[in-house]
Amino acid sequence: MTTGPLAGCRVVELGGIGPGPFAGMLLADLGAEVVRVDRPERAGEPDAGGPADVLGRGKRSVVLDLKDPAASAALLRLVERADVLIEGFRPGVTERLGIGPHDCLARNPRLVYGRMTGWGQDGPLAASAGHDITYIALTGALGAIGEAGGPPRIPLNLVGDFGGGGCYLVIGVLAALHATARTGRGQVVDAAVVDGTAHLLASTFGKLGRGEWSDERGVNRFDGGWPFYAVYGTRDGRHIAVGALERPFYRSLVELLDLEVDPDRQHDRSTWPRLRRLLTQRFAQRTRDEWAELFEGTDACVAPVLSLTEAAAHPHLAARASLFARDGVVQPAAAPRFSATPSSAGRAAPAVGADTRAVFRDWGVDPAVQFSD
């Protein structure tokens, strides 16, 4: 029995890739009972089930071939007992399968039907294929990331798939559940990566409108354009991150590095080329870890740039147990944290279809379809 804030909430997740499964994992971490509906052929895929299927943790797996009308009918029986359904197909696919919003809400008027796509349910590109990189390209986010004079830099698929996509789907689902508690009526949540990514750019668009942001890469406050908010190489070929934006933090940086600069002229842009040269030269004199030791516990806002495997061993992340290892697989702990209803990362992802019979039994549903063993 889970203790998270969503304990007792039942979620049906139609298996997919990227932001949809991430949203399902997040809901499971928050305590919801998440049942992932997998395609039969997924059983042979290398990322299906087990400790390395991090996005599948905390879920149960049933196998239904939704191209079979009998299987779609079985799904609708689960929907009758669910609070939420999330899916990540292209617009119109679930409608053709007979499990679209109209079909599901007819069976369960309180259902929150969460839809996750890249382009959204309408618009000129709604039916087009895409991936994280194309979605963030169109919003301006990709074009804003990178060094001055260089090409855009891909920020993994954090900004689009998971930030603008999966997180916004969860926000929409939670808001809709709150509305359902007041009105007794469910609704459809249209979560699109392009919408969420554009929303994440709210502060940047505000700065652009005020003339505080230049619409080019690598010359602005948060893109490495300011020398005291940038990344520098160290003697051992690693890197150190500097974020000394505010005056007292910048003064601390200057003092700890013993730089021959006037800290009161921090925002005098005419001094920046020399300042960047000085910082580049100074950080190149020691190793990353030597600098990390010097700045540890200070207010200079300087931190070592760690690799993924190094991050889990950092004392601060270790103290908070922000990352943990399960069967040799490092992964993030549940977030955020709650004082009264603590959340937790659920069990490792089950094998595809491992819970098919059990889920229908536990939910008190007769699938009226024959399952293969």
Side-chain angles (χ1 to χ4, degrees):
M1 179 67 67
T2 60
T3 60
L6 290 183
C9 179
R10 285 177 167 177
V11 178
V12 173
E13 173 196 326
L14 304 189
I17 60 174
F22 175 76
M25 182 203 76
L26 180 48
L27 292 170
D29 286 353
L30 293 174
E33 179 183 356
V34 179
V35 172
R36 187 182 66 202
V37 179
D38 286 312
R39 297 170 285 107
E41 57 269 27
R42 190 167 187 265
E45 296 177 2
D47 63 341
D53 181 7
V54 176
L55 297 186
R57 75 184 187 194
K59 304 176 185 179
R60 304 171 83 184
S61 171
V62 305
V63 165
L64 290 174
D65 183 358
L66 296 176
K67 296 178 182 178
D68 180 351
S72 294
L75 175 68
L76 290 174
R77 293 185 179 93
L78 288 178
V79 165
E80 291 174 355
R81 305 296 180 90
D83 300 291
V84 178
L85 180 144
I86 57 177
E87 58 96 356
F89 296 115
R90 291 198 204 188
V93 171
T94 58
E95 285 84 351
R96 291 194 295 273
L97 294 172
I99 53 173
H102 177 79
D103 306 288
C104 290
L105 286 165
R107 293 293 193 96
N108 182 355
R110 295 179 60 90
L111 183 73
V112 173
Y113 195 107
R115 317 196 80 169
M116 183 74 259
T117 60
W119 304 115
Q121 294 298 314
D122 52 38
L125 296 176
S128 301
H131 274 297
D132 174 280
I133 191 171
T134 53
Y135 308 138
I136 68 172
L138 212 66
T139 64
L142 180 59
I145 301 171
E147 297 177 0
R153 297 296 185 185
I154 304 170
L156 304 184
N157 57 341
L158 301 178
V159 174
D161 278 351
F162 301 125
C167 283
Y168 274 84
L169 175 59
V170 170
I171 291 169
V173 164
L174 296 179
L177 283 172
H178 179 72
T180 299
R182 288 187 296 106
T183 67
R185 298 189 305 273
Q187 61 182 302
V188 178
V189 177
D190 175 4
V193 174
V194 290
D195 295 345
T197 302
H199 200 259
L200 289 172
L201 288 166
S203 175
T204 305
F205 276 115
K207 292 180 179 66
L208 184 65
R210 293 192 300 272
E212 299 174 2
W213 191 272
S214 177
D215 197 10
E216 56 181 307
R217 287 184 294 281
V219 298
N220 296 288
R221 183 185 306 180
F222 298 119
D223 61 7
W226 292 16
F228 39 86
Y229 196 93
V231 174
Y232 292 93
T234 56
R235 191 179 68 193
D236 54 350
R238 297 179 177 181
H239 296 87
I240 205 84
V242 178
L245 283 177
E246 291 79 7
R247 185 178 298 275
F249 305 156
Y250 178 68
R251 183 177 292 276
S252 178
L253 174 72
V254 168
E255 292 174 352
L256 286 166
L257 289 178
D258 193 24
L259 296 179
E260 295 181 358
V261 299
D262 181 358
D264 292 329
R265 297 182 66 188
Q266 177 183 6
H267 293 286
D268 180 350
R269 291 174 179 260
S270 68
T271 69
W272 285 6
R274 176 174 177 269
L275 174 62
R276 192 178 293 274
R277 288 195 299 272
L278 288 175
L279 289 170
T280 300
Q281 292 166 1
R282 189 58 54 88
F283 281 117
Q285 292 174 356
R286 300 187 189 181
T287 67
R288 182 199 66 181
D289 292 345
E290 287 172 340
W291 287 121
E293 183 178 359
L294 174 69
F295 284 105
E296 182 77 24
T298 73
D299 281 345
C301 297
V302 174
V305 178
L306 303 180
S307 70
L308 292 173
T309 52
E310 289 176 314
H314 189 275
H316 184 79
L317 296 184
R320 289 184 57 82
S322 300
L323 297 166
F324 71 97
R326 173 185 286 153
D327 295 327
V329 177
V330 176
Q331 56 193 283
R337 305 181 185 200
F338 300 85
S339 61
T341 55
S343 56
S344 63
R347 62 174 186 167
V352 171
D355 307 299
T356 301
R357 296 179 184 276
V359 165
F360 280 93
R361 181 190 66 240
D362 295 346
W363 284 28
V365 174
D366 178 3
V369 65
Q370 189 68 35
F371 297 124
S372 60
D373 293 321

